[in-house]
Amino acid sequence: MAVVTALTRSLGQHCPKRLKPSIFPHKFPSNNSQLQFQTLRTLILEPSLSESVKLRRLPGSDSGIVEVNLERPGARNAIGNDMLRGLRHAFEAIDGDSSAHVVLISSSVPNVFCAGADLKERKKMTASEVHSYVNYLRSTFSLIEELQIPTIAVIEGAALGGGLEMALSCDLRICGENAMLGLPETGLAIIPGAGGTQRLPRLVGKSIAKELIFTARRIGGRDAMSMGLVNYCVPAGEAHPKGLEIAREINQKGPIAIRMAKRAINEGLERDMTSALDLEEECYEQLLNTKDRLEGLAAFAEKRKPRYNGE
């Protein structure tokens, strides 16, 4: 119960600062008492906003690893209004939880990560509603990208359209050999509108990104790895264990250092070299007076594993 109480308090203190007011046509309840907790093999946080998005915190030595699980089997995890609300709620909760150190985004639906937008819902929307939906989807993926902690997309099966755009907003991507990735929007006479036209070329280069978007071609896991779209391609069914392995490696490192490293890399790439090095200095300085830095030195001298507390 102490763990549940602490987590409830942590989430209750959350107040998002970077986001613009919602333009999505649905209201988002903010009452944290709606969150239900239950302890199984992991601590599970279930936002009542959506049955298709589950937020789980791993226990014990894996404390600090959070998993966002997509669970909409009847629609191949297509992002409808309900799932989008659930995703936004989950990542806002993570953003406000200082005990979260690394995030895994995965699917509990076999052979699919996320099939993209729910086109059945889209067909019933007016042009104005589509515009609001896409804007909200884009800002939600930007929230994922702007999280201070590392994010890892675990891809088995299809990651198409908005599903791939969600993965592109993560820091790392792990896929199985059975993965099928693509941005099929031009085949529907639209373009990727939730960051795909911007994040894909920054990851794989302008020429390859243009080919994939112009042709709407789908690629397998091995091709995705060869072009730098994913960090690892592993045998089918082994993406989640690999993602968890990497999350555990990250989780053992100094959490403040990880946050500063992510900031230095992400913001530095948008600057010229001189100002980027100034940013690196600024981030380094913020670590000099931390207890974690002294613990790292002590652990090295004593030949033991460090015990970091994020202080």
Side-chain angles (χ1 to χ4, degrees):
M1 287 299 297
V3 176
V4 174
T5 302
L7 180 57
T8 304
R9 186 180 301 115
S10 174
L11 295 180
Q13 293 173 346
H14 171 57
C15 179
K17 298 178 180 179
R18 296 190 298 268
L19 304 178
K20 297 179 180 179
S22 172
I23 59 172
F24 198 59
H26 296 273
K27 299 293 184 181
F28 284 75
S30 59
N31 185 355
N32 286 317
S33 66
Q34 293 180 1
L35 301 179
Q36 299 177 338
F37 299 90
Q38 60 180 182
T39 302
L40 300 173
R41 295 181 64 183
T42 61
L43 180 65
I44 301 179
L45 172 75
E46 297 191 1
S48 60
L49 290 176
S50 174
E51 290 298 317
S52 55
V53 179
K54 301 295 188 296
L55 182 60
R56 303 189 294 178
R57 294 172 51 86
L58 276 61
S61 61
D62 288 332
S63 178
I65 301 175
V66 182
E67 183 164 7
V68 176
N69 196 253
L70 310 181
E71 191 174 319
R72 195 185 177 202
R76 292 173 56 79
N77 285 342
I79 307 174
N81 292 342
D82 176 73
M83 177 176 276
L84 181 52
R85 287 193 295 271
L87 286 169
R88 184 58 165 254
H89 185 74
F91 287 108
E92 286 181 345
I94 293 169
D95 192 31
D97 183 5
S98 61
S99 68
H101 297 157
V102 58
V103 182
L104 291 168
I105 305 178
S106 63
S107 166
S108 63
V109 181
N111 300 316
V112 64
F113 174 70
C114 175
D118 188 330
L119 297 183
K120 291 182 179 179
E121 285 190 9
R122 177 75 60 86
K123 189 176 181 181
K124 300 175 184 178
M125 293 180 181
T126 65
S128 176
E129 288 172 336
V130 172
H131 184 259
S132 295
Y133 169 89
V134 173
N135 281 351
Y136 199 80
L137 185 65
R138 185 187 304 114
S139 68
T140 298
F141 292 168
S142 292
L143 172 59
I144 297 174
E145 184 177 50
E146 292 167 6
L147 287 175
Q148 296 181 53
I149 60 177
T151 51
I152 304 172
V154 177
I155 304 168
E156 293 280 6
L160 303 172
L164 179 55
E165 288 178 300
M166 176 161 49
L168 289 172
S169 70
C170 294
D171 297 302
L172 307 175
R173 284 152 296 280
I174 316 297
C175 78
E177 291 178 334
N178 66 332
M180 188 60 63
L181 303 91
L183 295 172
E185 284 84 354
T186 54
L188 297 171
I190 55 175
I191 65 170
T197 64
Q198 302 307 308
R199 294 191 178 100
L200 185 62
R202 284 168 167 79
L203 193 63
V204 302
K206 183 169 65 174
S207 180
I208 292 176
K210 285 181 176 179
E211 178 191 351
L212 293 178
I213 292 173
F214 293 169
T215 65
R217 183 163 62 88
R218 302 180 183 188
I219 59 172
R222 290 187 177 277
D223 286 340
M225 183 175 174
S226 69
M227 64 178 61
L229 181 52
V230 300
N231 298 81
Y232 293 93
C233 178
V234 296
E238 296 183 15
H240 190 274
K242 183 64 178 178
L244 184 56
E245 174 191 330
I246 295 173
R248 284 170 171 162
E249 289 184 30
I250 294 171
N251 198 37
Q252 293 173 4
K253 308 303 184 290
I256 305 176
I258 293 295
R259 291 170 185 249
M260 289 298 101
K262 178 170 177 175
R263 182 190 169 202
I265 294 169
N266 283 1
E267 294 184 21
L269 285 172
E270 303 300 323
R271 303 187 181 189
D272 61 81
M273 182 59 73
T274 299
S275 61
L277 291 174
D278 289 340
L279 172 64
E280 181 181 75
E281 179 184 2
E282 176 189 334
C283 292
Y284 196 101
E285 284 181 351
Q286 294 188 43
L287 301 167
L288 290 175
N289 295 316
T290 63
K291 294 179 181 179
D292 281 352
R293 187 182 74 87
L294 298 179
E295 166 62 15
L297 292 173
F300 178 80
E302 297 166 17
K303 299 181 179 180
R304 60 172 174 82
K305 289 186 177 182
R307 296 181 291 270
Y308 296 124
N309 295 313
E311 299 177 349

